[in-house]
Amino acid sequence: MRIPILKLKNYLLISVQVDLDDQTALQFQEDLLNKIHQEGSFGVVIDLTSVEMIDSFIAKVLGDVVEMSNLMGAKVVLTGIQPGVAITLIDMGIVLDEVPTALDLEQGLDKLQQELEA
Amino acid sequence: MKPSVIEMIYSQHDEIIRQWKNEVTELNQFDSTLPTNWFHETNEEFVNLIMGTLELEENEAKEQFRSFAERLMNAGWPLSYFTKGMQLFRRVLVQMLTSDESFESEKVFETLNEVEKWVDGVINQLVDEYTGSWENTLHLQKLALKELSAPLIPVFEKISVMPLVGTIDTERAKLIMENLLEGIIEHRSQVVLIDITGVPVVDTMVAHHIIQASEAVRLVGAECILVGIRPEIAQTIINLGIDLRKFPTKSTLRKGIETGLELTQRKIISTS
């Protein structure tokens, strides 16, 4: 299964609608990096509102994707992480230190804009 | 209980009561706060109840014990009074049976068996009654604590405050974290101020919970400011070597709100 990546002006929007499995996550990592390369995007918002569970591998992939995208010059913001997911991540000791987060898509876009302007 | 046994007990009615009362008076030593005359009245009632319920149906007897126990429970009588009282009753009966040689040994066994069963049944019921009431109380108190525990109050658009009062244990920390995260989503807060003015002690465990909560808050997309740090708390935090540099800390809620407004690109201005 592939996760659709939408382009909006200079940004890329991804809304993850299913619980990610390892294969999908790796595929997504590849697709996103290709898309950034192709479109020359400045910013990426990954919305996780409908994701109910994130395991340590998916968390690592997400962290990696953020860093890889940063390397390619695109800022990434994770949005809509659910309370339950946040608690599980913290319990597992995964803090995603370097990753900017926002409450929802709207605030995520605002945050991207701020970061890009700064 | 078998009619023959009941008859046997009734024939010795007065003697049993006399002995039981003698022995039970010693019980008063374990709780000297009970007034003496009240103690005697209750003894009287208790022994009459025991005697009175011998020939009743099981359910009816249980009902009578239940109401009696409930009344004394509310008055604060200890459970041990009942269990010891019942055990004494058994002991008195056993003494009586064994000292009187006119009984056949077979009959003594049978009677003892009956009495044993009956006394144990009553004790079990009383214990159930008491533990039920304790569990109930505990449950209510937990509920009350939960209600008091951790409200998230929206004070400005995008800014909420969670005042914490009282000691924080692991269970409460969990509740705090859940309330915090769900409140953030509900109020769409970007900044939450955790006010620990009312937390008497901040040790490594409490600090750990606060750090975890603030990290979870960051993951859902908001920011955490710790406010209400009193001088002694600042000292303990540093002396314990706790690192709180990951998120902003302020001494008072007022300063925290100013910082919160700043983070959301706003400020309070005077209109004059």
Side-chain angles (χ1 to χ4, degrees), chain B residues 233-251:
Chain B
I233 295 217
Q235 287 176 47
T236 32
I237 285 174
I238 295 305
N239 286 336
L240 289 172
I242 300 165
D243 187 5
L244 289 180
R245 277 174 298 182
K246 271 192 197 155
F247 46 95
T249 50
K250 291 279 176 275
S251 60

Side-chain angles (χ1 to χ4, degrees), chain B residues 19 22 31 41 64 72 75 88 111 117 138 151 153 159 162 165 177 191 201 213 219 222 231 248 254 259 267:
Chain B
Q19 279 194 28
N22 260 345
D31 193 352
E41 270 171 40
Q64 287 206 12
L72 288 196
L88 273 182
T111 315
K117 230 165 69 189
L138 197 68
I153 306 157
I159 299 180
M162 179 175 275
V165 177
M177 172 123 72
V191 177
V201 190
L219 280 181
R254 199 173 107 190
T259 317
K267 69 176 176 189

Side-chain angles (χ1 to χ4, degrees), chain B residues 2 5 7 13 23 25 27-28 35 48-49 51 103 119 121 136 147 151 153 164 184-185 206 217 226 237 239 265-266:
Chain B
K2 286 188 181 163
V5 180
E7 203 177 307
H13 184 265
E23 299 228 14
T25 323
L27 282 182
N28 201 15
N48 285 334
L49 180 75
M51 285 299 182
F103 291 117
V119 166
N136 202 15
E147 278 167 3
I153 306 157
L164 297 180
I184 287 171
I185 306 265
V206 174
V217 165
L226 192 62
I237 285 174
N239 286 336
Q265 286 89 41
R266 287 171 296 175

Side-chain angles (χ1 to χ4, degrees), chain B residues 24-43 46 68 71-82 84 130:
Chain B
V24 89
T25 323
E26 287 167 24
L27 282 182
N28 201 15
Q29 286 160 355
F30 72 80
D31 193 352
S32 51
T33 53
L34 298 171
T36 326
N37 57 339
W38 189 30
F39 184 70
H40 284 303
E41 270 171 40
T42 312
N43 284 342
F46 190 17
F68 180 65
R71 198 148 43 80
L72 288 196
M73 203 151 57
N74 290 336
W77 282 67
L79 171 62
S80 58
Y81 169 75
F82 289 101
K84 282 184 186 164
Y130 262 80

Side-chain angles (χ1 to χ4, degrees), chain A residues 4 15-16 32 46 59 63 65 70-71 80-81 83 88 91 95 103 105 110:
Chain A
S15 170
V16 183
L32 178 62
I46 303 177
V65 168
N70 284 344
L71 273 181
I81 297 179
T88 337
D91 283 347
V95 287
L103 204 60
L105 188 60
D110 286 350

Side-chain angles (χ1 to χ4, degrees), chain B residues 186-200:
Chain B
E186 189 184 331
H187 305 305
R188 296 176 48 84
S189 317
Q190 279 185 7
V191 177
V192 267
L193 303 135
I194 299 181
D195 185 6
I196 57 165
T197 315
V199 180

Side-chain angles (χ1 to χ4, degrees), chain A residues 46-64:
Chain A
I46 303 177
D47 185 62
L48 300 169
T49 309
S50 355
V51 176
E52 305 276 330
M53 199 219 51
I54 290 181
D55 64 22
S56 52
F57 180 76
I58 304 297
K60 182 187 172 296
V61 173
L62 284 174
D64 288 352

